[in-house]
Amino acid sequence: MIDNSQRNIDYLRISITDRCNERCLYCMPDGFHAWKEREEILSYEEIIEVVRVAVRLGFRKFRVTGGEPLVRRDVVEFIARLIGTPGVEHVGLSTNATRLRGLATDLARAGLRHANVSLDAIDPEIYRRVTGGRVQEVIDGIDAALRAGISRIKLNAVLMRGVNEEQLWPLIDFAAERQLPIRFIELMPVTFTEVLNDTNFFPIAEAKRLIAERTLLIPETAQLGFGPATYYRAPELGISVGFIGAMTNLHFCDTCTKMRLTADGKIRPCLGNHEEVDLQPALRPHLNVRFIEELFVEALRRKPAEHSFRDQYQPGRVMTAIGG
Ligand code: SF4
């Protein structure tokens, strides 16, 4: 355990639903149906109360995640409220973008400018194999968002050997065509299925080497975003390429400033650690702001120095229930 008072933890990822309209290989087990009952999921009102407490404790950056956040009703109104909450300085959205096309204009009108989009393949058949979805919907969603003014889009790709590794360059070409940053992410043990193993693990060092064989990569000096990605400028392509090496980068967690709020009201100090603090007793049946704050402070205190992914970590909940 580290002294978290020395860490500037100011970034809260808010999962507003554990549901997803897709079924990514690395995220959700086959046949999974154990969604939380509706009443267990925090209402938007409750989430905003938690955000107000977080702001009082120094949080300034917020990201709306799921599951897939755009499947929840009235998500645009929620994002508008979040953006308008005093003390909130930055709001981003993490989405699979399959529903983005229809919502892009309203989200932009609500004030959203930042979105991270999961895109694991450009080839329709490979995309379908990895996520179960249709890549054209994602592409249309990205283009609609850019047209609407959601201009700060980052692409996130999880590479798996023997599954979508050949999509490395098609993904980079797609990012370069639209001048968007792209990040390659190592598979993490975040699902119940036996997804991560020696045969399909694709280290980001290999991705970086393959890219560097064909184009110049220069370390970025400026900080891009608030996450643990290491960025390089690819001047010949005009884009930044990021690498998120949760498994192989031994300093991955050194600069972590984030915590998660799960859709069912638990503060999770670290993605790769089972520790959670349940806020529901402070929210129901009566809202007790001071109690929320006490529990939040307790969660901050319990934030580990780093994840446990390298210690035979076994996930206790599916990724969609934790918040991506
Ligand atoms: S694994 Fe945990 S400590 Fe490491 S960067 Fe992610 S949330 Fe932070």
Side-chain angles (χ1 to χ4, degrees), residues 228 252-253 256 258 260 269-272 303-307 309:
F252 182 73
C253 302
C256 179
K258 63 176 171 270
R260 286 173 161 75
C270 169
L271 173 67
K303 183 164 175 62
E306 60 178 11
H307 63 65
F309 285 147

Side-chain angles (χ1 to χ4, degrees), residues 7 13 188 226-228 244 246 251-260 268-273 303-309:
R7 260 179 165 187
R13 298 175 68 97
M188 293 176 246
F226 315 118
I244 301 184
H251 299 287
F252 182 73
C253 302
D254 288 2
T255 54
C256 179
T257 60
K258 63 176 171 270
M259 301 215 296
R260 286 173 161 75
R268 186 157 174 130
C270 169
L271 173 67
N273 185 289
K303 183 164 175 62
E306 60 178 11
H307 63 65
S308 312
F309 285 147

Side-chain angles (χ1 to χ4, degrees), residues 81-138:
R81 274 190 79 185
L82 181 61
I83 290 171
T85 301
V88 170
E89 293 176 2
H90 175 98
V91 172
L93 170 75
S94 285
T95 175
N96 63 25
T98 53
R99 297 198 172 186
L100 191 52
R101 189 174 68 158
L103 292 169
T105 304
D106 290 341
L107 285 166
R109 243 184 237 136
L112 186 76
R113 297 292 174 267
H114 299 259
N116 290 355
V117 174
S118 299
L119 181 61
D120 297 324
I122 299 297
D123 178 88
E125 184 48 36
I126 298 175
Y127 184 85
R128 194 196 56 71
R129 219 180 307 140
V130 175
T131 72
R134 288 193 301 209
V135 73
Q136 193 57 48
E137 290 178 342
V138 181

Side-chain angles (χ1 to χ4, degrees), residues 189 246-247 272-274 304 306-315:
M247 303 302 286
N273 185 289
H274 293 299
E306 60 178 11
H307 63 65
S308 312
F309 285 147
R310 286 182 286 268
D311 308 326
Q312 302 293 314
Y313 178 84
Q314 291 296 319

Side-chain angles (χ1 to χ4, degrees), residues 262-309:
T262 65
D264 59 346
K266 297 184 172 58
I267 296 283
R268 186 157 174 130
C270 169
L271 173 67
N273 185 289
H274 293 299
E275 191 81 63
E276 289 180 347
V277 175
D278 189 2
L279 296 186
Q280 293 249 12
L283 292 164
R284 298 173 184 184
H286 305 293
L287 189 96
N288 183 334
V289 173
R290 184 173 296 181
F291 194 17
I292 300 175
E293 191 164 328
E294 281 171 20
L295 292 171
F296 220 115
V297 169
E298 177 60 19
L300 276 165
R301 200 186 59 75
R302 291 198 210 166
K303 183 164 175 62
E306 60 178 11
H307 63 65
S308 312
F309 285 147

